[in-house]
C-alpha cells in the first residue's frame, strides 16, 4: 500500500509521495527570489518525467516597525521585508535629499548611489510634491520587493522616514514588509536646556541634537542669559559675557547640525527680568524700588537705555540664530510680584501713565516692553513668552501673535490655561509638573519620570494634572521638555543626559501621538535600549 505523508520544507507544508520525493532548497532569508534559488536534486525514478513545481515562499503577515515614537499607521503585507546588506545603496529622486541620503547611508553602512532607480537591496528617497497630505513632516515608507521607498511632501518628512527605517533595523535587524503612513500630532516638539545657570559644552549639546533628531523632535531651546551668567560671545556687548561661554563658531556648528536634523534652535534672552548677568556690567540700568533698593535681575523698563541694551543683543543674535522661532521670556519681573507695584515703584507707575494714559499701571508698561521686543525680533519669526508675562485687564494687551509658553499656575494673579485659549492665543506646553527637570529639586520640584509622562501626560495637560477640554486641542501647538539648572552643581552633564533619557523618549511619543500608547511601559523601556543611538 502506498502512503502519503506531509513533509515540512523550508517552513511550508507540502505533500510528498512515497515513491517520488523532490528535495527543495529555499532562498536565503533575505528573499533572494529567483537569483537566490538553488536547483533541487534530480528525481530518483523514471516515473517522474515532468519537473517538480517549486512552491512559493510563505510569509506571515508583517507587524508594524518597532520605533520611538511609534508609527501611527502601518498596512501589513506578506513578504521578506528589507535589511541592509552588501551592495545596498541609498539613492534619491531629488538632489535636495543628498544630506538625508548620505546620513542614512553612513548609519546603515550602505553606499550613496546618487540619483538613480532603486534595485533590490536599495533605499530610495523621494519628494512627493503632489502628496495628498501636505503636512511637511508627514511621510510614507514602503517596503516591497526587497526595496524601501521613503516619500514625503518635504525634506523634513523624508528625514523622519529615515529615522523610522534606522530604528526598525536597530530593533529587529530589518524593516517589515508593508506601508507606513505617518505624521506628528503636534508641530512643536521641543527640548530646552538652561545653559545660563550651568555651562554645557558644545559637544554635549551636539550629542543632544543627534539624539533629538532620531526621536523626531524639531526644536532645541537655548536659555543662555539669566541672573547667574550670559553664555554666548557678543561683539555688541562683550562686557556682559561670562568666562565660561560658547563661542559664536561653536553656536554656528550647533545650529548647522540642528538644521541637518530639521531642528530649529530657539534662543531665549529673558527680559525685563532675569538679566542679572547683564546688570553686573551695567548697574545703572537696574530697577530700584521707592526706598532705593535694587530689585534682583530686573532692568528699569522706564529707562530707554535698558531697552537699547536688550535690543542690541536681540539684533546681534538674530543673525546667529536664523530659525523661525524666538523666545523673549517676560516672566517673573520682580516689580510685578509686589502686592502694590504702583506704590513700590512710583517711577514706573509715573512712566506708565505718561506713556500709556492716566489709567495705565506698571503691568501695562511691562506689556509695552514685551511688544517693543516683539517688534525688534521682527515679523518674520514666531515669538513666545512665558505665561506670567501676560496680564489680565489693563489698558494694553500683548501683541496677538505672541504665543504663550505655559509653564506654571503658581504666579501672583494666576490665570488658568483656558483664559489664554479662549482669547484665541496659541499655546506651547511647558507644564512644570511633568516637563521640568530642575537640578537639585528646589522649591518642591521633583525630577520627572518617563513613566509618568508616558502614562499620564498629554499635550492638553497644560497645568497640574488635568487636561483642558478637547475643543482647545488645535490651539496647543505642542510642548517642550525643559532642563533648568537652579542648583547647577547638583548633577554633572553626564548625569543630566542619563536623567532625561527616558522622559525625553516618553515626551516624544506623546507629542507624535497623544493617544494612550499600545506598548506597556516596561516594553517601551526595553525598546528604547534597542533603538537608541547612544547618548550621554
Amino acid at each position: 500500500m502506498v502512503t502519503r505523508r506531509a513533509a515540512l520544507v523550508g517552513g511550508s507544508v507540502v505533500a510528498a509521495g512515497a515513491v517520488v520525493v523532490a528535495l527543495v532548497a529555499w532562498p536565503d532569508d533575505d528573499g533572494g527570489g529567483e537569483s537566490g534559488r538553488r536547483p533541487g536534486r534530480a528525481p530518483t525514478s523514471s516515473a517522474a518525467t515532468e519537473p517538480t513545481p517549486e512552491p512559493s515562499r510563505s510569509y506571515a503577515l508583517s507587524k508594524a516597525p518597532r520605533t520611538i515614537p511609534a508609527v501611527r499607521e502601518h498596512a501589513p503585507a506578506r513578504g521578506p521585508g528589507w535589511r541592509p546588506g552588501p551592495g545596498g545603496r541609498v539613492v534619491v529622486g531629488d538632489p535636495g535629499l543628498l544630506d538625508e541620503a548620505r546620513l542614512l547611508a553612513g548609519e546603515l553602512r550602505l553606499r550613496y548611489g546618487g540619483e538613480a532607480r532603486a534595485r533590490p537591496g536599495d533605499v530610495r528617497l523621494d519628494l512627493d510634491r503632489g502628496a495628498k497630505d501636505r503636512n511637511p513632516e508627514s511621510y510614507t515608507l514602503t517596503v516591497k520587493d526587497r526595496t524601501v521607498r521613503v516619500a514625503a511632501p518635504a525634506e523634513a518628512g523624508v528625514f523622519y522616514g529615515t529615522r523610522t527605517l534606522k530604528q526598525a533595523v536597530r530593533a529587529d535587524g530589518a524593516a517589515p514588509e508593508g506601508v507606513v503612513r505617518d505624521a506628528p500630532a503636534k508641530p512643536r516638539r521641543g527640548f530646552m536646556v538652561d545653559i545660563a545657570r550651568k555651562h554645557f559644552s558644545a559637544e554635549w549639546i551636539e550629542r543632544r541634537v543627534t539624539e533629538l533628531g532620531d526621536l523626531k523632535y524639531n526644536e532645541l531651546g537655548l536659555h543662555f542669559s539669566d541672573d547667574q551668567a550670559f553664555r554666548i560671545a557678543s561683539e555688541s556687548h562683550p562686557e556682559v559675557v561670562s568666562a565660561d561661554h560658547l563661542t559664536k563658531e561653536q553656536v554656528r556648528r550647533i545650529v548647522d547640525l540642528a538644521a541637518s536634523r530639521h531642528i530649529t534652535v530657539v534662543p531665549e534672552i529673558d527680559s525685563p527680568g532675569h538679566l542679572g548677568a547683564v546688570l553686573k556690567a551695567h548697574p545703572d540700568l537696574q530697577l530700584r524700588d521707592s526706598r532705593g533698593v535694587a530689585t534682583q535681575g530686573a532692568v528699569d523698563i522706564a529707562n530707554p537705555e535698558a531697552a537699547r541694551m536688550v535690543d542690541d543683543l536681540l539684533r546681534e543674535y538674530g543673525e546667529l540664530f536664523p530659525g523661525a522661532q524666538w523666545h523673549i521670556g517676560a516672566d517673573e519681573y520682580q516689580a510685578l510680584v509686589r502686592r502694590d507695584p504702583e506704590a513700590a515703584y512710583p517711577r514706573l507707575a509715573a512712566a506708565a501713565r505718561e506713556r500709556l494714559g492716566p489709567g495705565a499701571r506698571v503691568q501695562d508698561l511691562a506689556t509695552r516692553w514685551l511688544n517693543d521686543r516683539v517688534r525688534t525680533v521682527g515679523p518674520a519669526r514666531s515669538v513666545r513668552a512665558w505665561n506670567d508675562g501676560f496680564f489680565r485687564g489693563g489698558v494694553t494687551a500683548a501683541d496677538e501673535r505672541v504665543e504663550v509658553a505655559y509653564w506654571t499656575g503658581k504666579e501672583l494673579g494666576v490665570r488658568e490655561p483656558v483664559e489664554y485659549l479662549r482669547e484665541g492665543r496659541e499655546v506651547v506646553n511647558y507644564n512644570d509638573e511633568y516637563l521640568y527637570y530642575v537640578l537639585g529639586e528646589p522649591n518642591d520640584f521633583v525630577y520627572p519620570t518617563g513613566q509618568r509622562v508616558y502614562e499620564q501626560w498629554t499635550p492638553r495637560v497644560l497645568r497640574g494634572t488635568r487636561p483642558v477640554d478637547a475643543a482647545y486641542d488645535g490651539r496647543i501647538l505642542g510642548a517642550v521638555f525643559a532642563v533648568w539648572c537652579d542648583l547647577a552643581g547638583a548633577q554633572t552633564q553626564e548625569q543630566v543626559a542619563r536623567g532625561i533619557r527616558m522622559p525625553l523618549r516618553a515626551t516624544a511619543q506623546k507629542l507624535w501621538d497623544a493617544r494612550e500608547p499600545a506598548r506597556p511601559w516596561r516594553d517601551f523601556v526595553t525598546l528604547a535600549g534597542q533603538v537608541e543611538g547612544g547618548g550621554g
Side-chain angles (χ1 to χ4, degrees):
M1 183 174 84
V2 178
T3 61
R4 301 181 65 84
R5 62 184 177 87
L8 182 64
V9 183
S12 296
V13 177
V14 297
V19 177
V20 180
V21 178
L23 300 179
V24 180
W26 292 106
D28 293 334
D29 287 341
D30 66 354
E34 290 295 333
S35 62
R37 292 184 178 179
R38 295 184 291 274
R41 185 178 298 173
T44 58
S45 169
S46 60
T49 57
E50 297 295 331
T52 302
E54 189 171 319
S56 299
R57 179 70 182 269
S58 176
Y59 295 95
L61 203 61
S62 63
K63 295 181 180 180
R66 298 192 304 135
T67 61
I68 296 177
V71 301
R72 300 184 71 184
E73 180 184 337
H74 176 252
R78 299 183 188 276
W82 177 90
R83 68 181 71 241
R89 305 173 301 165
V90 180
V91 299
V92 298
D94 189 293
L97 298 174
L98 183 148
D99 289 343
E100 288 76 14
R102 288 193 183 278
L103 176 63
L104 183 67
E107 292 168 331
L108 298 184
R109 298 182 180 179
L110 303 172
R111 290 190 300 110
Y112 171 63
E115 292 185 69
R117 290 186 177 182
R119 62 194 185 201
D122 286 353
V123 178
R124 179 179 165 102
L125 309 182
D126 281 319
L127 288 177
D128 187 0
R129 303 187 190 278
K132 292 181 181 179
D133 188 345
R134 302 308 302 165
N135 180 343
E137 295 187 309
S138 67
Y139 68 92
T140 301
L141 185 154
T142 304
V143 179
K144 184 180 180 182
D145 298 331
R146 293 200 304 125
T147 63
V148 179
R149 180 176 185 256
V150 178
E155 293 172 17
V158 172
F159 175 72
Y160 296 139
T162 67
R163 301 306 86 192
T164 294
L165 180 61
K166 173 186 175 182
Q167 288 196 13
V169 170
R170 280 186 171 163
D172 297 309
E177 200 85 1
V179 180
V180 169
R181 293 182 178 86
D182 204 11
K186 292 297 180 183
R188 304 282 181 82
R189 306 179 303 282
F191 169 64
M192 190 224 79
V193 60
D194 170 13
I195 65 171
R197 293 179 178 91
K198 182 180 181 68
H199 176 61
F200 288 85
S201 70
E203 293 75 18
W204 188 92
I205 297 171
E206 289 170 357
R207 289 197 294 273
R208 301 289 76 73
V209 169
T210 301
E211 181 180 14
L212 294 173
D214 282 355
L215 294 169
K216 302 186 176 91
Y217 281 91
N218 61 6
E219 284 189 4
L220 167 66
L222 294 180
H223 176 92
F224 65 90
S225 169
D226 214 301
D227 292 344
Q228 292 77 4
F230 193 101
R231 298 288 190 186
I232 296 179
S234 169
E235 283 85 43
S236 67
H237 290 283
E239 71 280 3
V240 308
V241 179
S242 302
D244 290 327
H245 65 273
L246 298 175
T247 68
K248 285 194 170 181
E249 185 56 36
Q250 287 174 319
V251 173
R252 289 188 185 97
R253 287 201 299 270
I254 291 168
V255 169
D256 288 346
L257 177 65
S260 75
R261 266 66 173 176
H262 298 275
I263 295 170
T264 298
V265 180
V266 183
E268 181 191 357
I269 299 177
D270 201 347
S271 77
H274 292 282
L275 282 171
V278 170
L279 291 169
K280 288 175 186 175
H282 295 274
D284 54 309
L285 301 181
Q286 187 153 27
L287 177 66
R288 296 181 180 274
D289 65 14
S290 58
R291 298 172 298 165
V293 177
T295 303
Q296 181 182 358
V299 295
D300 181 355
I301 57 177
N303 186 342
E305 290 302 318
R308 275 193 281 273
M309 158 72 75
V310 173
D311 285 348
D312 284 348
L313 294 169
L314 290 174
R315 293 189 183 99
E316 177 180 1
Y317 294 110
E319 297 180 3
L320 187 61
F321 297 99
Q325 311 290 331
W326 264 81
H327 199 318
I328 57 174
D331 65 313
E332 297 182 323
Y333 187 53
Q334 293 301 300
L336 292 167
V337 302
R338 303 287 184 93
R339 289 292 175 183
D340 189 349
E342 284 68 39
Y345 297 93
R347 187 167 177 274
L348 293 185
R353 292 191 297 270
E354 179 184 346
R355 298 177 191 179
L356 301 169
R361 295 177 289 168
V362 174
Q363 72 172 49
D364 296 299
L365 195 65
T367 300
R368 174 68 174 270
W369 172 280
L370 183 151
N371 289 341
D372 287 345
R373 306 296 76 76
V374 172
R375 281 190 283 275
T376 299
V377 170
R381 291 184 167 101
S382 296
V383 180
R384 72 188 69 161
W386 298 112
N387 62 284
D388 49 331
F390 296 77
F391 306 102
R392 184 185 292 114
V395 301
T396 60
D399 188 308
E400 63 182 13
R401 72 188 182 93
V402 181
E403 301 164 358
V404 178
Y406 198 98
W407 71 280
T408 187
K410 301 170 185 174
E411 75 276 17
L412 189 68
V414 58
R415 299 179 68 191
E416 295 283 346
V418 292
E419 285 196 41
Y420 304 95
L421 296 165
R422 285 172 185 157
E423 291 173 2
R425 294 274 180 191
E426 293 183 315
V427 175
V428 181
N429 189 332
Y430 287 76
N431 185 327
D432 63 352
E433 176 77 19
Y434 292 95
L435 306 179
Y436 263 32
Y437 190 94
V438 185
L439 297 198
E441 300 180 304
N443 303 319
D444 299 323
F445 283 108
V446 296
Y447 292 128
T449 69
Q451 186 170 3
R452 275 197 83 207
V453 174
Y454 191 76
E455 296 178 345
Q456 300 177 19
W457 178 83
T458 75
R460 285 170 44 212
V461 181
L462 287 161
R463 174 187 171 191
T465 60
R466 296 174 57 187
V468 299
D469 192 274
Y472 297 116
D473 187 67
R475 293 180 188 164
I476 301 170
L477 299 176
V480 176
F481 187 91
V483 171
W484 293 102
C485 301
D486 292 41
L487 299 176
Q491 290 190 345
T492 65
Q493 292 184 132
E494 291 71 25
Q495 288 172 324
V496 173
R498 289 194 296 270
I500 65 177
R501 176 176 167 268
M502 288 312 301
L504 270 180
R505 282 149 180 77
T507 305
Q509 174 60 47
K510 301 304 279 290
L511 286 172
W512 196 265
D513 188 346
R515 295 173 297 182
E516 183 177 349
R519 195 180 306 281
W521 172 248
R522 287 182 179 274
D523 291 352
F524 186 80
V525 173
T526 299
L527 179 59
Q530 294 169 335
V531 303
E532 68 183 3

